[in-house]
Coordinates of all heavy atoms in Angstrom, one line a residue:
N123 N 89.3 -47.7 1.2 CA 90.7 -47.5 1.3 C 91.5 -48.6 0.5 O 92.3 -49.3 1.1 CB 91.1 -47.6 2.8 CG 92.6 -47.2 3.0 OD1 93.1 -46.3 2.3 ND2 93.3 -47.8 3.9
P124 N 91.3 -48.6 -0.8 CA 91.8 -49.7 -1.6 C 93.3 -49.6 -1.8 O 93.9 -48.5 -1.9 CB 91.1 -49.5 -2.9 CG 90.8 -48.1 -3.0 CD 90.5 -47.6 -1.6
L125 N 94.0 -50.7 -1.9 CA 95.3 -50.8 -2.4 C 95.3 -50.7 -3.9 O 94.4 -51.4 -4.5 CB 96.0 -52.1 -1.9 CG 97.4 -52.4 -2.6 CD1 98.4 -51.4 -2.1 CD2 97.8 -53.8 -2.3
K126 N 96.1 -49.9 -4.5 CA 96.0 -49.8 -6.0 C 97.4 -49.9 -6.6 O 98.4 -49.7 -5.9 CB 95.4 -48.5 -6.4 CG 96.3 -47.2 -6.1 CD 95.6 -46.0 -6.6 CE 96.5 -44.8 -6.2 NZ 96.0 -43.5 -6.7
T127 N 97.5 -50.4 -7.8 CA 98.7 -50.5 -8.5 C 99.4 -49.1 -8.6 O 98.8 -48.1 -8.9 CB 98.5 -51.0 -9.9 OG1 97.9 -52.3 -9.9 CG2 99.8 -51.0 -10.7
I128 N 100.7 -49.0 -8.2 CA 101.4 -47.8 -8.2 C 102.2 -47.7 -9.6 O 102.8 -48.6 -10.0 CB 102.4 -47.7 -7.1 CG1 101.6 -47.8 -5.7 CG2 103.2 -46.4 -7.1 CD1 100.6 -46.7 -5.5
G129 N 102.0 -46.6 -10.2 CA 102.8 -46.3 -11.5 C 102.4 -47.4 -12.5 O 101.3 -47.7 -12.7
N130 N 103.5 -48.0 -13.1 CA 103.3 -49.0 -14.1 C 103.7 -50.4 -13.6 O 104.1 -51.3 -14.3 CB 104.1 -48.7 -15.4 CG 105.6 -48.7 -15.1 OD1 106.0 -48.6 -14.0 ND2 106.3 -48.7 -16.2
Y131 N 103.4 -50.7 -12.3 CA 103.7 -52.0 -11.7 C 102.6 -53.0 -12.1 O 101.8 -53.4 -11.3 CB 103.7 -51.8 -10.2 CG 105.1 -51.6 -9.6 CD1 106.0 -50.8 -10.3 CD2 105.5 -52.1 -8.4 CE1 107.3 -50.5 -9.8 CE2 106.8 -51.9 -7.9 CZ 107.6 -51.1 -8.6 OH 108.9 -50.8 -8.1
N132 N 102.5 -53.3 -13.4 CA 101.4 -54.1 -13.9 C 101.8 -55.4 -14.6 O 101.0 -56.0 -15.3 CB 100.5 -53.3 -14.8 CG 101.3 -52.8 -16.1 OD1 102.4 -53.2 -16.4 ND2 100.6 -52.0 -16.9
N133 N 103.1 -55.8 -14.3 CA 103.5 -57.1 -14.9 C 103.8 -58.1 -13.9 O 103.3 -58.0 -12.7 CB 104.8 -56.8 -15.8 CG 106.0 -56.3 -14.9 OD1 105.9 -56.3 -13.7 ND2 107.1 -55.9 -15.5
D134 N 104.5 -59.2 -14.2 CA 104.6 -60.3 -13.3 C 105.6 -60.1 -12.2 O 105.8 -60.9 -11.3 CB 104.9 -61.6 -14.1 CG 106.3 -61.6 -14.7 OD1 106.8 -60.5 -14.9 OD2 106.9 -62.7 -14.9
I135 N 106.2 -58.9 -12.2 CA 107.0 -58.5 -11.0 C 106.2 -57.4 -10.3 O 106.1 -57.5 -9.0 CB 108.4 -58.0 -11.4 CG1 109.2 -59.1 -12.0 CG2 109.1 -57.4 -10.3 CD1 110.6 -58.7 -12.6
G136 N 105.8 -56.4 -11.0 CA 105.1 -55.3 -10.4 C 103.8 -55.7 -9.7 O 103.5 -55.2 -8.5
L137 N 103.0 -56.6 -10.3 CA 101.7 -56.9 -9.6 C 102.0 -57.7 -8.3 O 101.3 -57.4 -7.3 CB 100.8 -57.7 -10.6 CG 99.5 -58.1 -10.1 CD1 98.4 -57.9 -11.1 CD2 99.4 -59.6 -9.6
P138 N 102.9 -58.7 -8.3 CA 103.1 -59.3 -7.0 C 103.6 -58.4 -5.9 O 103.2 -58.5 -4.8 CB 104.2 -60.4 -7.4 CG 103.9 -60.7 -8.8 CD 103.5 -59.4 -9.4
L139 N 104.5 -57.4 -6.3 CA 105.0 -56.5 -5.4 C 103.9 -55.6 -4.8 O 103.9 -55.3 -3.6 CB 106.1 -55.6 -6.0 CG 107.4 -56.3 -6.3 CD1 108.4 -55.3 -7.0 CD2 108.1 -56.7 -5.0
T140 N 102.9 -55.3 -5.7 CA 101.8 -54.5 -5.2 C 101.0 -55.3 -4.2 O 100.7 -54.8 -3.1 CB 100.9 -54.1 -6.4 OG1 101.6 -53.3 -7.3 CG2 99.6 -53.3 -5.9
I141 N 100.7 -56.5 -4.5 CA 99.9 -57.4 -3.6 C 100.6 -57.5 -2.3 O 100.0 -57.5 -1.2 CB 99.6 -58.7 -4.2 CG1 98.6 -58.6 -5.4 CG2 99.0 -59.7 -3.2 CD1 98.3 -59.8 -6.2
L142 N 102.0 -57.7 -2.3 CA 102.7 -57.9 -1.1 C 102.9 -56.6 -0.3 O 103.5 -56.7 0.8 CB 104.1 -58.5 -1.5 CG 104.0 -60.0 -2.0 CD1 105.3 -60.4 -2.6 CD2 103.6 -60.9 -0.9
S143 N 102.4 -55.5 -0.8 CA 102.4 -54.3 0.0 C 101.1 -54.1 0.7 O 100.9 -53.0 1.3 CB 102.7 -53.1 -0.9 OG 101.7 -52.8 -1.8
L144 N 100.2 -55.1 0.7 CA 98.9 -55.0 1.3 C 99.1 -54.8 2.8 O 99.9 -55.4 3.5 CB 98.2 -56.3 1.0 CG 96.7 -56.4 1.3 CD1 95.9 -55.5 0.3 CD2 96.2 -57.8 1.1
C145 N 98.2 -53.9 3.3 CA 98.2 -53.6 4.8 C 96.9 -54.0 5.3 O 95.9 -54.2 4.6 CB 98.5 -52.2 5.1 SG 100.2 -51.6 4.6
D146 N 96.8 -54.1 6.6 CA 95.5 -54.5 7.3 C 94.4 -53.6 7.1 O 93.2 -54.0 7.1 CB 95.8 -54.7 8.8 CG 96.6 -55.9 9.1 OD1 96.8 -56.8 8.2 OD2 97.2 -56.0 10.2
N147 N 94.7 -52.3 6.8 CA 93.6 -51.3 6.6 C 93.1 -51.2 5.2 O 92.3 -50.4 4.9 CB 94.1 -49.9 7.2 CG 95.2 -49.4 6.4 OD1 95.9 -50.1 5.6 ND2 95.5 -48.1 6.5
H148 N 93.7 -52.0 4.3 CA 93.2 -52.0 2.9 C 92.0 -53.0 2.9 O 92.1 -54.2 3.2 CB 94.2 -52.5 1.9 CG 95.3 -51.5 1.7 ND1 96.7 -51.9 1.8 CD2 95.3 -50.2 1.5 CE1 97.4 -50.8 1.6 NE2 96.6 -49.8 1.4
N149 N 90.8 -52.5 2.4 CA 89.6 -53.3 2.3 C 89.3 -53.7 0.9 O 88.2 -54.2 0.6 CB 88.5 -52.6 3.0 CG 88.8 -52.4 4.5 OD1 89.1 -53.4 5.2 ND2 88.7 -51.2 4.9
A150 N 90.1 -53.4 -0.1 CA 89.9 -53.8 -1.5 C 91.3 -53.6 -2.2 O 92.2 -52.9 -1.7 CB 88.9 -52.9 -2.2
M151 N 91.4 -54.3 -3.3 CA 92.6 -54.0 -4.2 C 92.1 -53.7 -5.6 O 91.1 -54.3 -6.1 CB 93.5 -55.3 -4.3 CG 94.2 -55.6 -3.0 SD 95.5 -56.8 -3.3 CE 94.6 -58.3 -3.0
V152 N 92.7 -52.7 -6.2 CA 92.5 -52.3 -7.6 C 93.8 -52.5 -8.4 O 94.7 -51.7 -8.2 CB 92.0 -50.9 -7.7 CG1 91.6 -50.5 -9.1 CG2 90.7 -50.7 -6.8
L153 N 93.8 -53.5 -9.2 CA 95.1 -54.0 -9.8 C 95.1 -53.9 -11.3 O 94.2 -54.4 -12.0 CB 95.4 -55.4 -9.4 CG 95.4 -55.7 -7.9 CD1 95.6 -57.2 -7.6 CD2 96.5 -54.9 -7.2

Side-chain angles (χ1 to χ4, degrees):
N123 187 34
L125 172 68
K126 67 178 181 179
T127 300
I128 301 299
N130 62 342
Y131 268 37
N132 62 9
N133 62 9
D134 67 336
I135 295 176
L137 183 136
L139 288 173
T140 299
I141 292 174
L142 290 168
S143 67
L144 193 66
C145 295
D146 289 342
N147 63 345
H148 290 131
N149 297 308
M151 287 192 275
V152 182
L153 304 174

